[in-house]
Amino acid sequence: MNIKDLQEHLIERFDFLLGSLYIKETGTCVLSDIHIGLEEELFAQGLLFPLREMEELLRRIGILLERFNPRKLVLAGDVVHSFGRADQRIRRKLEVILNAIRSRCDLILVSGTHDGMLPYMGFKAQRRYDEGGYTVSHGDEDLREHGHLIIGHEHPVLDVEMMRIPCYLFGMGLMDGMDIIVLPAFNPLCQGVAVNHLEAPDLLSPLLRRVDTGKLHPVVEMEGEVMVFPEIRRL
């Protein structure tokens, strides 16, 4: 499939906005790697100015809810950043952000590598979510039975002329005949992995280690415009 046809195919199935993926067929919005509490870790490392993490996350989520009016919103893992005990500030951020989503639609939490404390904070998360032929997983564990896969975990970006642009990765039929979509990190404070300089040892997800990542297409959304790039191996 050429780039133009692939772009039309993707736009027919999905909307891309601010690192989220809206599945038109099911009315479901998926985003990953929100990493609530990353701001606090950066403060602990010596950052001296506020980053307004909660305000920015709420702003971005509000845009998605207004734009898509989804039936469901799925957080695909790494909902919180800290591996250890979360302090009251992080708990409060988490409650405010999740309640903002729940006030507008159903919320599904899928757990990721950072989310071991979620049950102790009173939030129930599941390892995967399946609906309408799609499987949402964080991407930190291998799956052998699944639909079209939507994962996070990798934080993909394109490194272009000293700019690091968050991107999606799309592979048609690469996962046992099913498609795979890798989401960028939703939290803009997250660092990314440059996919156009990607080597196999750089991969975090065991799912991506099963495919030829050179066949993945980066997809970039900027100001409402969706651009599909050639396969990684051709960049």
Side-chain angles (χ1 to χ4, degrees):
M1 186 178 293
N2 62 41
I3 294 295
K4 181 180 178 181
D5 289 344
L6 180 58
Q7 182 163 315
E8 291 176 354
H9 173 80
L10 289 174
I11 291 173
E12 183 178 347
R13 292 170 65 186
F14 309 110
D15 279 320
F16 302 84
L17 184 63
L18 297 175
S20 76
L21 183 77
Y22 179 69
I23 307 170
K24 294 179 179 180
E25 184 178 358
T26 63
T28 302
C29 185
V30 186
L31 52 98
S32 187
D33 297 284
I34 191 168
H35 284 274
I36 296 169
L38 176 55
E39 180 180 35
E40 279 70 20
E41 177 168 307
L42 294 174
F43 286 163
Q45 294 174 2
L47 190 72
L48 299 178
F49 56 89
L51 297 171
R52 298 178 62 82
E53 178 186 62
M54 184 171 72
E55 291 83 354
E56 178 61 14
L57 291 174
L58 286 171
R59 183 188 73 82
R60 292 161 66 88
I61 289 169
I63 291 172
L64 301 181
L65 294 173
E66 286 297 321
R67 167 77 176 273
F68 300 135
N69 190 26
R71 294 173 49 252
K72 296 180 181 178
L73 191 146
V74 183
L75 297 182
D78 284 2
V79 179
V80 294
H81 184 71
S82 174
F83 286 100
R85 184 175 180 179
D87 64 26
Q88 286 301 115
R89 290 174 299 174
I90 297 173
R91 287 171 181 253
R92 177 58 181 161
K93 278 186 180 182
L94 183 61
E95 289 173 354
V96 169
I97 291 170
L98 298 191
N99 286 339
I101 298 170
R102 286 175 173 149
S103 71
R104 297 287 301 274
C105 64
D106 292 339
L107 172 65
I108 307 293
L109 298 182
V110 172
S111 60
T113 49
H114 287 251
D115 295 325
M117 292 302 296
L118 276 180
Y120 303 99
M121 298 166 68
F123 298 97
K124 183 179 179 181
Q126 56 201 65
R127 292 303 299 168
R128 59 187 282 171
Y129 176 69
D130 294 270
E131 181 186 20
Y134 292 88
T135 298
V136 179
S137 169
H138 184 58
D140 56 334
E141 62 180 5
D142 205 353
L143 299 176
R144 294 291 171 171
E145 296 182 3
H146 53 76
H148 299 302
L149 271 167
I150 302 170
I151 68 171
H153 197 39
E154 296 289 347
H155 303 191
V157 299
L158 272 179
D159 190 355
V160 181
E161 296 181 352
M162 300 182 68
M163 294 178 59
R164 297 173 71 82
I165 304 169
C167 69
Y168 306 76
L169 298 175
F170 177 75
M172 180 176 286
L174 290 187
M175 295 298 302
D176 303 321
M178 296 294 181
D179 301 342
I180 184 167
I181 303 176
V182 185
L183 305 182
F186 188 74
N187 190 326
L189 300 179
C190 288
Q191 293 184 335
V193 175
V195 298
N196 45 328
H197 304 306
L198 190 65
E199 301 290 342
D202 299 327
L203 294 169
L204 296 174
S205 174
L207 290 165
L208 289 181
R209 296 191 199 113
R210 285 170 46 198
V211 305
D212 181 352
T213 54
K215 293 182 179 180
L216 293 169
H217 289 267
V219 180
V220 171
E221 178 272 323
M222 295 186 70
E223 299 182 355
E225 295 292 326
V226 176
M227 295 169 283
V228 178
F229 286 75
E231 295 175 341
I232 290 174
R233 62 185 174 181
R234 302 188 188 280
L235 295 179

